[in-house]
Amino acid sequence: MAFLKYTLIRLALFAPLFALFLYLQLGVLLAALCAGMMSFAISFLFFQRQRDAATATLHHRFSGKAKPMRSAGEVADADAEDRLVDANPDIAVRTDNPRKDSQQPGA
């Protein structure tokens, strides 16, 4: 949530600056460059707490300590697979072998 909040702050800074520079007829590329640099500078100087929270969120997500995020479809698939395995205990599920159709020709 902190990353989203910081991103929205940066976007809220960028959009009016971009519109201002377009109004001043700097051109699209130069307006985007100037607005990007100014929104970066303003957010760097005045939004340190939000930036640090966003950084901590990203660090936690990519450090391997966070719970994996799964979509509703993945959860439903996993539940269906679990029910099938529970209903058929005599069938062993082995995921360590490559699929036969993925072998290279001539092998």
Side-chain angles (χ1 to χ4, degrees):
M1 187 69 178
F3 180 75
L4 178 63
K5 183 178 178 181
Y6 184 65
T7 302
L8 290 176
I9 290 171
R10 295 277 307 266
L11 185 61
L13 288 171
F14 177 83
L17 288 170
F18 181 69
L20 173 70
F21 290 131
L22 279 180
Y23 178 75
L24 295 175
Q25 298 178 352
L26 288 179
V28 175
L29 186 61
L30 190 57
L33 183 66
C34 290
M37 289 184 349
M38 287 188 71
S39 66
F40 166 76
I42 292 168
S43 64
F44 186 78
L45 292 173
F46 298 110
F47 297 107
Q48 180 178 0
R49 254 193 335 236
Q50 290 84 357
R51 184 180 66 246
D52 290 343
T55 303
T57 301
L58 287 177
H59 181 267
H60 179 70
R61 168 60 50 202
F62 292 110
S63 68
K65 297 175 186 174
K67 265 180 47 178
M69 296 175 66
R70 294 170 57 183
S71 68
E74 290 173 324
V75 171
D77 286 346
D79 290 342
E81 289 171 2
D82 291 344
R83 282 192 305 274
L84 284 173
V85 169
D86 291 342
N88 301 301
D90 55 326
I91 297 175
V93 178
R94 297 177 58 193
T95 60
D96 57 343
N97 291 342
R99 292 177 46 183
K100 290 183 181 183
D101 59 342
S102 65
Q103 291 180 352
Q104 294 181 5

